[in-house]
Amino acid sequence: MSERANLDTGASWTHPLYATLEKLPGVSLGLASVDDLLAWGLTNSLWVFPMATSCCGIELMAAAASRIDLDRMGTIVRGTPRQCDVMVVAGTITVKMAPRVLKLWEQMPEPKWCIAMGSCAISGDFYRNLYSVIPGIDTVIPVDVYIPGCPPNPEALMHGLLRLQEKVHARRRGEKVDRDPNPDLIRVTQPAIPRVCERDLGRNDELSKLQADQAGRVTEEQMCPAVDVPFEPPPPATPVFAPDFEGLLRELGVAVAADGPPLVPVERHFEFARRLKELGYRQLVSIVATHWLAGTGRAGKEEGASEHLEVAYVLRTVGPGSRLATWAVRVAPDQPIPSLVPLYAGADWQEREQFDLVGARFAGHPDLRRLMMAENYPGHPLRRDFPIDAHCAPWR
Amino acid sequence: MNVVLTAVVTCVAILTGILTATAWLIWFERKFSGRMQSRLGPTMVGPSGLAQPVADLVKLLQKEDVVPEAADRALFDLAPKLAALCALGAAAVVPFSATVVGAKIDLGVLFLLAIGAVTVMPVFMAGWASNNKFALLGGMRALAQSISYEVPLVLSAMVPVILAGSMDVSKIVEAQTRDGWYLIDPVWLGLPAFGLFLLAMLAESNRIPFDIPEAESELVAGVTTEYGGMKFALFYLGEYVHTLVASAVASALFLGGWDGPFAPGLHWMVAKTVGLFVFVYWMRWSLLRFRSDQLMRICWYWLVPLAVALLLGAGAWVVL
Amino acid sequence: MLQTLSVERRVDPHLSIDKYDPEAELLLLHMGPQHPATHGVFRMDLYLDGEIVVKAVPYVGYLHRAVEKLCEKLTYSQITPIVDKNDYVAPMTNEQAVNMAFEKLLAIEVPRRARWIRMIFAELQRIASHLLWLGTFTMDLGGALGGGTTVFMHSFREREMIMDLFEEVSGCRFHYNTHTIGGNRHDLPAGWAGRVKEALAVIEARISEYEGMSLENRIFVKRTKGVGVIEPGLALELGLTGPMLRACGIDHDLRRDAPFHAYDEVAPRVIVAEGGDCLARARVRLGELKESVRFVRETIDSIPEGSINGGRPIKLPNSIKIPPGQTYVGIETPRGELGTYLIADGSANPYRLKIRPPSLHALSALPYVLPGGTVSDALAILGSVDPIMGEADR
Ligand code: SF4
């Protein structure tokens, strides 16, 4: 990321009309007030582009909702970057997502600002050293305001936006802004109905009674219909299916293992799954591939074990008395395993995920592409020999 | 000389009136929708947030003018201007009182309908010129929707024309002053025609539940996806002015225009227009959106036959 | 219905697009990863013939935060706050799922009071999550500037009340970190039960409003009925769980069928709807919302006394070592079965921790149901799936 020319977005861009005006003699006298007017307009209608990728995005939504209501300060959320002034990066930005963020940022017309909301957007949070997360959005685009927190309260977001207003004004006057929170602004952001935990502090007693009042006014008819099922222990489970998993194991001659699911030979694996499906295990729950380095195995250290993968399958019967069936297949790292897609449509994505992350191969899978990482990603991150802090160029 | 001067003054007055009214109505809508959603709406910019539209305008004026590289530049530039122009142009023949009217032309209703039909052009133009798939889909939807809803709109507007025996909007209002508002006289004809006109008007101005061309959650921002700054402001303005003028037309055609006791005519007209406008926004903030094929079905299966029946009914009423 | 084994796969998601009518001019529409209606960062490539979706190719992984890799390097007690961030709409369920897996391998008995508190938390999280779903789903149907937003604002107003309650317990609005191995970290504050009932009374009185705005709204029904139908057999094969499965008419709920927490003592009703379309999913979720409110109201007073963290006192949480072994624990969250497959090797960190995300399975149904509908339908279906990308991608 070499071209960070517009790091100082607030000051560097001026409207061409404005630039012409500035050159006219005599106009500069009036410009001070015009300038104030322009800055007032800019700051009082900050339209937000929600770069809401994860948890912080929910707090961004909550900030736009009724309790905090960003519309109070003229801030609305628009879906297209062309009409927005502030990009609020709320959430973790992954390697796969970062180029998209950059693109969207470039699509926003000047003057524009960026707010990094939450520790993920600021620094990557505890994901910062991992292979798929970039260490903060400021490695991609310039950030004007940082809002710490995991997640920051909606109030904090509003405070951040108000601080951005301050910053824009100060920049125009050539002043510096300090980094500390502004107590006056914090007061503005407080919602009318204080939160429960603040009520005891007696911040606003009148309003704190509001919710209690509301609850008191609820009438019987408004409540959900009275209980017609008494609360008692559910009836003893009468399974829809009573499949005999152990019986099948015995029949196929698979030994029950004490330290994990029974190991099924890879040649009989598909047959085994088919039999289970016929028995009533109709729901595919999960496929878990694990990588074991040479010398390790289920019991921790295993002398003489070669490097191998173990792929565990979890199936379930549905209905009362639901039962689980778990078994595993042990293969060499690039030995293919028969795919279960013909039996279970859900195996499609599961196998793709395990292929992507652990590198298990599945023979007969119709479309074995990576699921999580980008197509051209080298290596399989969940292998044990994959370093946890493998760098993710070009972001660091 | 005098005639020209009067015309110019009236035009300027109406234009300013409409534009200011639009600005405050935008504020009002934000407040109103806020109340509907149990929040406050703008409060911090000016007293009660009254200066909010001004701030928005000042901001939008300062934004960089981005034209996508692959866009068709001429069309891209033209579309928002045309959109605002069409919306404002329709205001020319709306009589705001017996005297305040931009242009008294005999075929006022025809002019209105023609302009209304043209308004879809800039929308499609924008959708096409943006070279953006969301915008293109929005434009296509807008075109399909407008063409369909044009039919019930025209047919239902014909009902008061037939009843009054004139195409001049002022004459229609005068006729209503004489024989009573067409909404209630005759009620079996006027009320459905008014409802139909209102629905078609909602569809024409792309308002929920007929806002599929814009469809914020589906098509990002529909045809305006690539527009920012002043160009977007023009679209935005055009949309609101369109709704406002359409409300004015509806009140002139069905609600007796400036007719009303006690207060001067202009007040009545404004009150009726604003009332309808608020109704439109009430709808907007409480309804969900139809799907495009459902919209077409509603139009061709229900609205068009109803409109034809009303037209025949109006003919029969006048003849008998 | 469940007896037939072979499921007819109506749509082949791997169909090559070249096989489609060569005369047709297809439009490839990339939706996402940043799109107002994709609930975070999810991408679908839709091949459109006019407005009809011919083929849909979903892409996930835009929020792949490598949680499973991270967990391999953390001690067992450090994992709880990390997995919180997976399903960020109902974070507590994540904590419960992993901690229950640890407890199972450690063979720790969780005290009865702690189990009850966990159950109440889980149900309150379900209320909060379904409220959020209601808001975002109607917003998908009604536009960011329309009636949908009104529902969204209203449901968020109620959600805030639940957030308040949790903030009182743990000090956070979400990402609570309130469960530990063997119990809970925080006991309930004094008078909490009363405030829960207060908030629930308000919510309960407003549920009928929501139903009026959604299930009883003609436009809502028109937009959702018969849209995005998933056949029960396919739903099972895909591993759909929770409301997605129950909307297909399959009566399966882990709270009743494989009880955890205190669900073996009291159990909520299981809401099932027929049809497998968006409307059925909405019915199930709104029904569960109602049921959870009722359930908490009725059970909150019977939380037993006792210690909240027991089995054996854990003095040095960072030195917990789990003996070698493998286990799978699945619990019912608002989105379905959230599972943890834990492989321990006797050290202080898990050897492998795989989280089974219900959202990922739910999203994998999209290529089967989207073709044949319009773009609007596609977004309605996506909204009805209620995916949380943090959990799907991890
Ligand atoms: S900072 Fe915390 S809440 Fe925000 S996205 Fe990151 S993990 Fe989620």
Side-chain angles (χ1 to χ4, degrees):
Chain A
M1 301 317 307
S2 57
E3 66 279 54
R4 294 225 192 112
N6 57 354
L7 256 180
D8 207 0
T9 43
S12 64
W13 194 85
T14 30
H15 198 279
L17 178 71
Y18 192 70
T20 339
L21 268 182
E22 240 172 4
K23 289 196 197 92
L24 293 180
V27 177
S28 59
L29 275 183
L31 269 188
S33 45
V34 172
D35 201 84
D36 278 350
L37 176 73
L38 293 185
W40 170 82
L42 268 188
T43 53
N44 278 310
S45 121
L46 296 171
W47 291 2
V48 161
F49 182 68
M51 197 60 236
T53 62
S54 57
C55 353
C56 284
I58 304 287
E59 287 298 61
L60 175 60
M61 278 152 87
S66 359
R67 185 180 282 190
I68 302 301
D69 188 15
L70 289 180
D71 199 14
R72 277 194 291 156
M73 56 177 287
T75 293
I76 52 176
V77 177
R78 300 281 316 177
T80 158
R82 297 265 189 241
Q83 295 157 13
C84 295
D85 315 296
V86 192
M87 177 186 264
V88 176
V89 182
T92 326
I93 303 295
T94 57
V95 177
K96 211 169 159 184
M97 193 65 198
R100 270 93 179 169
V101 180
L102 182 62
K103 187 160 202 173
L104 287 165
W105 171 253
E106 280 163 355
Q107 283 178 351
M108 284 169 62
E110 295 276 357
K112 58 189 172 187
W113 301 275
C114 174
I115 291 184
M117 178 185 184
S119 32
C120 279
I122 294 175
S123 66
D125 208 351
F126 28 66
Y127 308 110
R128 78 175 272 126
N129 287 328
L130 290 165
Y131 57 88
S132 70
V133 176
I134 65 163
I137 191 63
D138 49 8
T139 53
V140 185
I141 56 177
V143 175
D144 293 273
V145 176
Y146 295 88
I147 308 175
C150 178
N153 286 343
E155 287 97 322
L157 175 63
M158 190 168 180
H159 181 232
L161 281 163
L162 290 167
R163 291 284 292 174
L164 179 65
Q165 294 187 343
E166 267 188 13
K167 181 171 172 176
V168 174
H169 280 295
R171 275 290 170 72
R172 292 222 163 202
R173 290 194 300 265
E175 292 165 9
K176 276 227 154 69
V177 262
D178 56 15
R179 283 152 186 259
D180 304 322
N182 183 340
D184 296 341
L185 293 185
I186 290 182
R187 210 163 305 129
V188 176
T189 65
Q190 301 285 342
I193 300 180
R195 302 160 174 223
V196 175
C197 56
E198 286 172 357
R199 280 182 205 162
D200 299 337
L201 307 178
R203 207 181 69 216
N204 188 338
D205 253 356
E206 282 302 299
L207 283 166
S208 61
K209 298 210 187 75
L210 221 111
Q211 192 171 322
D213 281 358
Q214 268 176 351
R217 268 186 276 119
V218 174
T219 56
E220 271 304 313
E221 306 95 73
Q222 283 176 305
M223 310 280 252
C224 291
V227 202
D228 53 2
V229 180
F231 279 112
E232 55 192 32
T238 42
V240 180
F241 298 105
D244 186 8
F245 182 52
E246 288 73 24
L248 185 66
L249 288 181
R250 267 196 307 279
E251 185 190 325
L252 294 180
V254 178
V256 181
D259 53 357
L263 281 172
V264 176
V266 67
E267 320 75 68
R268 311 186 60 182
H269 154 70
F270 190 84
E271 169 68 14
F272 189 71
R274 200 177 54 77
R275 291 291 302 276
L276 280 175
K277 190 175 177 188
E278 278 162 11
L279 273 182
Y281 291 96
R282 299 289 301 281
Q283 190 181 43
L284 176 80
V285 174
S286 198
I287 299 179
V288 189
T290 320
H291 178 230
W292 299 90
L293 290 172
T296 56
R298 282 184 171 185
K301 293 260 174 300
E302 246 176 47
E303 290 307 319
S306 58
E307 181 186 5
H308 65 274
L309 295 179
E310 219 180 89
V311 184
Y313 291 81
V314 186
L315 300 182
R316 209 186 246 299
T317 67
V318 290
S322 172
R323 290 198 55 184
L324 282 174
T326 318
W327 79 96
V329 183
R330 181 182 278 204
V331 288
D334 14 277
Q335 184 187 350
I337 307 164
S339 163
L340 287 195
V341 177
L343 287 178
Y344 294 97
D348 186 347
W349 281 27
Q350 286 293 300
E351 290 178 356
R352 276 176 66 192
E353 188 193 350
Q354 298 309 314
F355 161 71
D356 179 3
L357 299 180
V358 190
R361 321 264 140 177
F362 294 92
H365 189 286
D367 182 24
L368 198 59
R369 280 178 295 132
R370 284 181 180 274
L371 187 68
M372 293 294 171
M373 308 304 298
E375 266 316 292
N376 55 0
Y377 190 81
H380 301 290
L382 276 187
R383 291 222 168 169
R384 291 298 285 195
D385 45 8
F386 189 91
I388 187 168
D389 49 0
H391 78 210
C392 43
W395 307 108
R396 71 170 66 128
Chain B
M1 188 59 216
N2 247 352
V3 183
V4 176
L5 197 67
T6 331
V8 169
V9 168
T10 325
C11 281
V12 171
I14 290 180
L15 267 186
T16 336
I18 287 190
L19 289 181
T20 343
T22 313
W24 302 134
L25 282 173
I26 291 177
W27 168 83
F28 180 77
E29 192 213 344
R30 277 172 86 164
K31 277 296 213 196
F32 181 71
S33 63
R35 288 300 154 147
M36 281 182 74
Q37 301 171 347
S38 75
R39 50 190 184 92
L40 293 173
T43 56
M44 280 148 77
V45 191
S48 308
L50 261 172
Q52 191 59 58
V54 186
D56 284 347
L57 188 70
V58 172
K59 194 256 335 236
L60 286 168
L61 270 173
Q62 293 177 71
K63 293 295 277 187
E64 184 187 3
D65 182 21
V66 183
V67 182
E69 223 169 90
D72 185 333
R73 226 196 143 101
L75 284 185
F76 189 82
D77 285 348
L78 185 62
K81 288 163 199 154
L82 214 56
L85 208 68
C86 285
L88 283 171
V93 292
V94 181
F96 285 91
S97 82
T99 47
V100 184
V101 50
K104 271 204 174 102
I105 43 177
D106 291 344
L107 293 177
V109 176
L110 193 64
F111 177 79
L112 278 174
L113 295 174
I115 287 242
V118 172
T119 38
V120 70
M121 277 325 288
V123 173
F124 186 67
M125 218 186 254
W128 181 259
S130 300
N131 194 28
N132 176 314
K133 285 171 186 168
F134 291 114
L136 182 62
L137 274 179
M140 276 168 20
R141 285 176 172 191
L143 207 58
Q145 177 179 324
S146 272
I147 289 175
S148 314
Y149 278 81
E150 202 64 38
V151 179
L153 183 76
V154 171
L155 292 182
S156 58
M158 281 305 124
V159 171
V161 169
I162 290 179
L163 289 180
S166 165
M167 274 220 159
D168 186 341
V169 189
S170 305
K171 291 252 173 59
I172 294 178
V173 177
E174 273 157 25
Q176 291 184 65
T177 327
R178 214 170 43 241
D179 351 310
W181 300 359
Y182 290 145
L183 176 67
I184 40 177
D185 183 30
V187 68
W188 59 272
L189 204 55
L191 198 60
F194 177 67
L196 210 56
F197 187 82
L198 212 61
L199 267 184
M201 181 185 106
L202 280 175
E204 281 281 293
S205 53
N206 299 336
R207 283 282 159 251
I208 277 182
F210 303 106
D211 76 328
I212 53 162
E214 214 180 296
E216 278 92 358
S217 57
E218 292 166 21
L219 300 181
V220 187
V223 286
T224 58
T225 303
E226 291 288 348
Y227 283 93
M230 224 29 225
K231 291 197 180 123
F232 168 67
L234 284 177
F235 265 117
Y236 201 59
L237 183 83
E239 226 168 68
Y240 277 80
V241 171
H242 191 151
T243 319
L244 190 63
V245 171
S247 312
V249 173
S251 34
L253 291 186
F254 292 96
L255 302 181
W258 62 78
D259 177 34
F262 316 126
L266 189 59
H267 291 201
W268 275 104
M269 183 67 182
V270 170
K272 287 171 188 169
T273 308
V274 171
L276 271 185
F277 186 87
V278 170
F279 177 76
V280 168
Y281 281 93
W282 192 353
M283 289 287 108
R284 174 181 180 179
W285 289 102
S286 41
L287 291 185
L288 301 177
R289 177 191 302 136
F290 279 113
R291 211 169 56 206
S292 37
D293 56 327
Q294 289 167 344
L295 276 187
M296 298 299 144
R297 187 161 306 133
I298 293 173
C299 180
W300 293 107
Y301 281 24
W302 301 103
L303 300 190
V304 173
L306 179 65
V308 173
L310 284 178
L311 198 63
L312 293 180
W317 176 262
V318 171
V319 172
L320 298 178
Chain C
M1 165 189 61
L2 286 179
Q3 266 57 30
T4 52
L5 262 186
S6 63
V7 176
E8 185 204 348
R9 296 188 190 167
R10 194 170 48 87
V11 179
D12 178 10
H14 305 294
L15 180 79
S16 161
I17 201 67
D18 311 328
K19 297 253 174 66
Y20 191 73
D21 179 9
E23 298 283 291
E25 276 191 43
L26 295 186
L27 178 73
L28 172 59
L29 189 68
H30 297 279
M31 258 193 190
Q34 180 61 30
H35 182 279
T38 51
H39 295 249
V41 280
F42 173 68
R43 171 176 150 212
M44 299 190 276
D45 284 358
L46 301 180
Y47 293 86
L48 301 180
D49 183 2
E51 278 231 14
I52 307 291
V53 179
V54 174
K55 180 183 177 178
V57 189
Y59 291 86
V60 296
Y62 288 96
L63 192 54
H64 178 60
R65 298 192 275 199
V67 172
E68 288 170 10
K69 186 79 179 172
L70 183 58
C71 288
E72 288 174 11
K73 300 289 170 211
L74 297 177
T75 62
Y76 286 106
S77 58
Q78 283 173 328
I79 286 174
T80 314
I82 303 292
V83 292
D84 251 344
K85 278 84 178 172
N86 286 350
D87 179 354
Y88 41 76
V89 172
M92 278 200 185
T93 53
N94 299 305
E95 302 175 7
Q96 292 169 356
V98 288
N99 280 319
M100 281 167 64
F102 301 159
E103 284 151 10
K104 193 168 166 196
L105 270 194
L106 281 170
I108 292 181
E109 175 84 17
V110 181
R112 186 151 172 263
R113 178 175 171 80
R115 283 191 285 121
W116 272 76
I117 292 178
R118 285 182 180 189
M119 177 175 79
I120 298 289
F121 282 171
E123 290 301 319
L124 285 176
Q125 293 271 291
R126 178 167 283 107
I127 297 170
S129 167
H130 283 348
L131 279 172
L132 187 124
W133 161 80
L134 178 71
T136 49
F137 182 48
T138 41
M139 202 145 91
D140 288 349
L141 294 181
L145 297 174
T149 324
T150 308
V151 182
F152 169 83
M153 296 283 176
H154 284 236
S155 64
F156 254 71
R157 178 185 62 187
E158 267 66 274
R159 187 174 170 272
E160 288 290 329
M161 292 192 219
I162 309 269
M163 294 288 107
D164 276 355
L165 294 171
F166 281 122
E167 191 173 355
E168 209 185 342
V169 172
S170 69
C172 304
R173 279 166 57 81
F174 48 86
H175 302 340
Y176 312 100
N177 189 14
T178 175
H179 296 77
T180 54
I181 302 170
N184 295 356
R185 199 183 301 276
H186 312 283
D187 206 344
L188 302 182
W192 192 74
R195 282 190 290 278
V196 170
K197 276 193 278 187
E198 213 173 72
L200 288 186
V202 176
I203 294 176
E204 200 162 7
R206 286 176 184 161
I207 285 179
S208 59
E209 271 180 39
Y210 300 139
E211 285 187 336
M213 288 189 277
S214 52
L215 295 183
E216 287 155 24
N217 182 332
R218 297 270 305 266
I219 301 183
F220 184 92
V221 174
K222 250 187 154 10
R223 281 295 305 277
T224 51
K225 195 164 184 191
V227 171
V229 178
I230 303 179
E231 294 88 359
L234 183 66
L236 275 178
E237 272 196 15
L238 281 168
L240 301 191
T241 44
M244 291 282 286
L245 187 66
R246 290 194 281 279
C248 301
I250 296 177
D251 189 3
H252 174 71
D253 188 329
L254 291 184
R255 290 178 289 172
R256 182 199 61 198
D257 300 338
F260 49 96
H261 297 340
Y263 288 118
D264 48 353
E265 295 175 46
V266 284
R269 271 175 293 186
V270 178
I271 313 288
V272 182
E274 296 290 335
D277 53 0
C278 294
L279 185 62
R281 294 195 272 278
R283 282 229 173 88
V284 171
R285 292 219 173 84
L286 275 166
E288 284 184 5
L289 179 62
K290 244 174 164 167
E291 174 62 16
S292 291
V293 170
R294 185 187 71 103
F295 182 76
V296 177
R297 170 159 53 81
E298 308 259 325
T299 51
I300 186 118
D301 285 331
S302 6
I303 297 181
E305 292 301 319
S307 89
I308 55 155
N309 196 343
R312 61 174 181 201
I314 292 163
K315 292 240 176 58
L316 293 169
N318 273 353
S319 64
I320 297 174
K321 291 200 170 68
I322 297 187
Q326 305 193 2
T327 188
Y328 174 84
V329 171
I331 66 169
E332 183 84 18
T333 73
R335 259 156 290 284
E337 178 174 352
L338 176 66
T340 308
Y341 194 95
L342 171 69
I343 302 181
D345 62 348
S347 67
N349 343 82
Y351 188 83
R352 171 110 164 84
L353 184 88
K354 152 105 190 196
I355 292 154
R356 183 238 186 239
S359 294
L360 186 67
H361 286 255
L363 284 174
S364 72
L366 288 182
Y368 294 91
V369 292
L370 291 189
T374 63
V375 181
S376 314
D377 285 342
L379 292 168
I381 295 168
L382 182 60
S384 75
V385 166
D386 188 20
I388 295 300
M389 295 318 290
E391 174 196 68
D393 294 352
R394 286 155 290 139

